[in-house]
Amino acid sequence: MAKGMRVKLNYAISRDPDTGAEVTRLTPPEVTCHRNYFYQKCFFNDGSHLLFAGEFDGHWNYYLLDIAKAEAVQLTEGAGDNTFGGFLSPDDSALYYVKNDRTLREVNLQTLAEREIYRVPDEWVGYGTWVANSDCSKLVGIEIAASDWTPLNDWKLFHDFFHKGPHCRLLRVDLQSGESSVIHEEKNWLGHPIYRPFDDNTVAFCHEGPHDLVDARMWLVNEDGSHVRKVKDHAEGESCTHEFWVPNGSALVYVSYLKGKQGRMIYSFNPDTGVNDAVMPMPACSHLMSNFDGTLLVGDGSGTPVDVKDTSGYTIDNDPYLYVFDVAKKAYFRVARHDTSWATVANSRQVTHPHPSFTPDDSAILFSSDKDGKPALYIAKLPEQRVMLQA
């Protein structure tokens, strides 16, 4: 298969045994497919099309699914796509993604013409998820010195890489001209660069590594490189993870958990006041994402985290559910079981992670799971009967 080829999908619709929610498996369980990272745009604005990654021709490439027709068109081809970091433009006209850790590319969704925007210098490697500003005129990304780089194909390598103290830099790239500039760099593993929505002057990033070893995970910096500041000092035994900006830019939301505790806490950081607020307790979810204004959050129940050093101190029971949290009510309900294995598959630490997010109309949850075989994409409608719970 090649770019432009079409794949007809046969959806499988079922009812969740615990909540009664309608769950649709979009992709076949014998072909590895997964969604992009949870805060990257994947739906058309009207919800009619969905960006996803599939291994239909032996490589993990990007596809665009016409949901009503159950037909996907192949957007990229060949090896080397970063199939977690790609995203759609705000006007639904283009796909942006990184190939071979080296080139940032744009794909025109009408013509499938492809344009190289930026090439990572030979002495550097493009790492992780690169994220655009609200009007998609530029993005921020992380580059790691090639002399320090190791492919992070499993969690042992993840742990080892932290202790290396790799030379990393946070950069800005203009999506029209390809011009780039370095915002911040240090001999410390950096990750998760994210523009604050509707505020290009504020960029979030993290100190990556085992959560119980990093000094402080979440940081902010002005786009010109000034005023580097931490979001939060970690309490004794506290780890923080999976931060994201509420899409309207109002707050940075993240997950906090304590050594020896089963549950976790949702926090919200106001970048204008510098105040961290505890939003509500929650079950042991890994990832968390909100709707546009942050009134609803969705999380994926998980087990003992693998991205800490002291796993015995953070041992928790496995939780197989997707949850929606109502911030105003400080209560939540189960949506459906994701039942994913969380296993490393095909040298990927991420492909079995649910990475849930809302559909554009907030009526359903998109997620990945390998519960039926190989990783696949699912959409679970919010259940009609909702049993509200409190942690």
Side-chain angles (χ1 to χ4, degrees), residues 24 54 118 121 144 179 186 189 198 205 215 294 297 329 355 364 380:
T24 301
Y118 169 78
I144 299 178
E179 294 180 358
E186 56 182 294
W189 187 6
F198 309 106
F205 66 96
D215 53 348
L297 305 167
K329 295 179 180 178
H355 291 145

Side-chain angles (χ1 to χ4, degrees), residues 3 9 16 28 42 88 103 106 109 136-137 153 167 185 187 189 204 224 228 231 245 249 253 262 273 294 300 346 355:
K3 185 190 294 193
L9 299 178
D16 184 85
C42 59
L88 298 174
T103 59
E106 175 192 70
L109 297 183
C136 207
S137 60
N153 297 332
H167 185 187
E185 64 182 306
K187 285 283 291 181
W189 187 6
D224 63 5
V228 178
V231 168
W245 289 109
V253 174
Q262 173 77 19
T273 64
D300 48 5
H355 291 145

Side-chain angles (χ1 to χ4, degrees), residues 117-329:
I117 299 171
Y118 169 78
R119 178 173 288 270
V120 176
D122 290 344
E123 62 271 22
W124 296 88
V125 173
Y127 167 72
T129 300
W130 293 18
V131 180
N133 62 344
S134 293
D135 65 7
C136 207
S137 60
K138 50 193 172 182
L139 56 68
V140 282
I142 299 293
E143 293 178 337
I144 299 178
S147 57
D148 290 333
W149 173 246
T150 301
L152 303 174
N153 297 332
D154 61 40
W155 289 108
K156 182 181 184 305
L157 292 171
F158 175 91
H159 286 253
D160 293 345
F161 196 65
F162 165 78
H163 294 286
K164 181 181 289 188
H167 185 187
C168 296
R169 63 184 189 181
L170 166 64
L171 75 156
R172 177 183 64 238
V173 178
D174 185 290
L175 288 174
Q176 286 304 312
S177 68
E179 294 180 358
S180 68
S181 59
V182 175
I183 297 174
H184 176 70
E185 64 182 306
E186 56 182 294
K187 285 283 291 181
N188 207 334
W189 187 6
L190 306 181
H192 284 236
I194 326 172
Y195 271 109
R196 182 186 182 187
F198 309 106
D199 174 14
D200 292 355
N201 185 53
T202 305
V203 179
F205 66 96
C206 80
H207 283 180
E208 188 62 276
H211 299 154
D212 52 342
L213 296 183
V214 296
D215 53 348
R217 177 177 169 90
M218 298 163 298
W219 298 75
L220 300 182
V221 60
N222 291 351
E223 191 187 36
D224 63 5
S226 64
H227 194 26
V228 178
R229 65 268 193 201
K230 68 178 70 173
V231 168
K232 183 181 186 183
D233 288 310
H234 292 198
E236 184 69 27
E238 180 184 28
S239 295
C240 298
T241 183
H242 290 119
E243 66 282 354
F244 66 92
W245 289 109
V246 174
N248 69 359
S250 58
L252 186 77
V253 174
Y254 59 93
V255 178
S256 168
Y257 58 101
L258 295 171
K259 183 175 180 178
K261 300 291 186 180
Q262 173 77 19
R264 299 186 173 192
M265 181 67 72
I266 300 170
Y267 273 90
S268 175
F269 173 76
N270 185 324
D272 300 320
T273 64
V275 174
N276 284 280
D277 287 321
V279 176
M280 61 183 290
M282 69 172 186
C285 292
S286 178
H287 308 90
L288 200 65
M289 186 58 199
S290 75
N291 61 350
F292 181 77
D293 62 5
T295 54
L296 296 175
L297 305 167
V298 59
D300 48 5
S302 63
T304 301
V306 292
D307 42 7
V308 295
K309 180 178 187 295
D310 180 15
T311 53
S312 63
Y314 290 86
T315 299
I316 57 176
D317 297 331
N318 189 57
D319 187 326
Y321 292 101
L322 298 170
Y323 295 96
V324 163
F325 302 88
D326 186 311
V327 173
K329 295 179 180 178

Side-chain angles (χ1 to χ4, degrees), residues 32 34 55 58 60 81-84 101 127 149-158 342-353 370 374-375:
T32 296
H34 68 86
E55 195 184 16
W60 290 7
D81 291 4
N82 179 336
T83 49
F84 293 95
D101 303 325
Y127 167 72
W149 173 246
T150 301
L152 303 174
N153 297 332
D154 61 40
W155 289 108
K156 182 181 184 305
L157 292 171
F158 175 91
W342 298 94
T344 296
V345 173
N347 291 324
S348 171
R349 296 175 292 114
Q350 299 281 341
V351 71
T352 60
H353 292 191
D370 64 351
K374 292 186 177 180

Side-chain angles (χ1 to χ4, degrees), residues 331-344:
Y332 62 93
F333 59 90
R334 291 172 174 167
V335 177
R337 300 179 68 95
H338 62 71
D339 282 328
T340 199
S341 71
W342 298 94
T344 296

Side-chain angles (χ1 to χ4, degrees), residues 13-35:
I13 301 175
S14 62
R15 289 280 175 183
D16 184 85
D18 296 342
T19 68
E22 181 180 292
V23 181
T24 301
R25 191 185 69 231
L26 303 176
T27 59
E30 69 273 10
V31 179
T32 296
C33 297
H34 68 86
R35 62 154 306 165

